Amino acid sequence: MHVAVQAIDREIWRDGVASEGTRLIPEETPLALTYNGGTYAVMMGTPQNLEDFAVGFSLDEGIITSVDDIKSLDVVRLDDGIELRMWLEQDNAARISERRRHIAGPTGCGICGIDSIAEAVRPASIVPPGQSFTPQQIMTAMQAIAPLQSINMQTRAVHAAAFWSPSNGIVALREDVGRHNALDKLAGSLARSRTSASAGLVLLTSRVSVEMVQKTAAIGAPVMVAVSAPTALAVRTAAAAGITLIAIARSDGFEVFTHQGRITARRAQEIIDVVA
């Protein structure tokens, strides 16, 4: 059985004394993504929200442009892993051969197996202007993540990616041992529910690498917020894509690396109300 969390017996040493106990730890299993009968990639990940992962991975990789491009999706659980079998419309099938990997990637590896430097640093999609946010909204959004991380509360060993909007709070949150996988799952969840990302924030419990920016751009979110620092390439990519990249987000504040204009002390409507 492929479950997200396993209870494992272990020996514990504390202060020179040994004892025994059980700890909950996250599962890690091979996830094979196949299109029209051929394997494209095998990723290691948490066996949960797999339909979201299949759709989000396909969108973020540029294999499809819409969830409607997938004619069928089956989750096939095998003895040694899980196969996500997708059949695409014929017009989309040609995209597979352009970036077929045929490899096994490490946990949540974002760009494993691509065969050119240009592909690794490909330009991200340009995001729409979106809306502005106050510092309090950003901190409120980040503080809302932890209580919803059910797997991490049990294991303290997985990443999360979430989408927050001013009107609805946390709209979707996905977890995985791989940070890229968590973001792919979030992308798939938003696509399957037909949720536009242009009016909200993508929230990450990990550092920001270039692949995370590329995936956020594919989602169409104008702002991404992370608890850890970004890489220099991630900052340059976010700047070119029109994304506001916020990192090192803590309870007392954060740092804005690109497109600072989306962060305002107060909303325009609040200012109008004060003037009136």
Side-chain angles (χ1 to χ4, degrees):
M1 176 182 291
H2 299 282
V3 296
V5 176
Q6 297 276 7
I8 302 296
D9 295 330
R10 86 277 197 220
E11 185 178 74
I12 307 166
W13 282 87
R14 292 285 186 273
D15 299 322
V17 178
S19 62
E20 296 182 351
T22 301
R23 172 174 285 276
L24 296 175
I25 59 175
E27 185 56 82
E28 181 180 31
T29 192
L31 306 174
L33 296 111
T34 69
Y35 301 92
N36 292 12
T39 300
Y40 179 85
V42 180
M43 310 298 287
M44 302 302 295
T46 302
Q48 185 184 57
N49 302 122
L50 296 180
E51 292 87 353
D52 290 340
F53 177 57
V55 172
F57 181 92
S58 302
L59 287 166
D60 291 343
E61 288 286 303
I63 295 171
I64 62 174
T65 59
S66 165
V67 65
D68 296 326
D69 294 336
I70 299 177
K71 292 196 298 184
S72 67
L73 166 59
D74 295 310
V75 177
V76 182
R77 299 179 182 272
L78 309 172
D79 290 340
D80 54 356
I82 301 174
E83 186 173 328
L84 307 178
R85 295 178 182 171
M86 288 167 277
W87 290 89
L88 309 181
E89 298 291 348
Q90 192 58 42
D91 291 344
N92 301 100
R95 294 193 181 101
I96 305 171
S97 60
E98 298 175 4
R99 298 194 62 218
R100 189 178 296 276
R101 302 180 187 186
H102 291 302
I103 65 160
T107 301
C109 182
I111 53 175
C112 300
I114 58 177
D115 55 9
S116 75
I117 292 175
E119 183 64 20
V121 295
R122 69 187 187 277
S125 304
I126 306 299
V127 301
Q131 67 181 69
S132 62
F133 300 89
T134 66
Q136 185 57 51
Q137 285 179 314
I138 292 167
M139 290 185 285
T140 296
M142 289 301 289
Q143 291 167 6
I145 296 178
L148 300 177
Q149 288 185 256
S150 59
I151 298 178
N152 197 56
M153 284 192 290
Q154 298 178 74
T155 67
R156 303 299 179 191
V158 297
H159 296 289
F163 180 74
W164 181 93
S165 74
S167 57
N168 297 305
I170 298 291
V171 175
L173 183 146
R174 295 293 182 266
E175 296 178 279
D176 199 277
V177 290
R179 57 196 172 94
H180 303 95
N181 293 348
L183 189 50
D184 282 334
K185 288 179 178 180
L186 177 66
S189 173
L190 296 177
R192 296 176 70 207
S193 63
R194 312 288 178 172
T195 300
S196 171
S198 63
L201 311 170
V202 163
L203 312 174
L204 306 172
T205 63
S206 63
R207 68 181 178 87
V208 184
S209 58
V210 63
E211 313 95 286
M212 302 298 274
V213 175
Q214 291 167 337
K215 291 176 185 294
T216 299
I219 291 172
V223 181
M224 61 190 304
V225 188
V227 298
S228 298
T231 67
L233 180 55
V235 171
R236 294 194 295 272
T237 303
I243 291 175
T244 297
L245 195 165
I246 300 172
I248 317 176
R250 302 289 186 267
S251 59
D252 62 344
F254 49 82
E255 299 179 19
V256 186
F257 289 83
T258 58
H259 297 282
Q260 293 85 351
R262 288 196 184 95
I263 310 306
T264 59
R266 290 185 298 176
R267 288 184 171 279
Q269 186 59 51
E270 293 173 345
I271 296 174
I272 291 173
D273 291 342
V274 170
V275 173

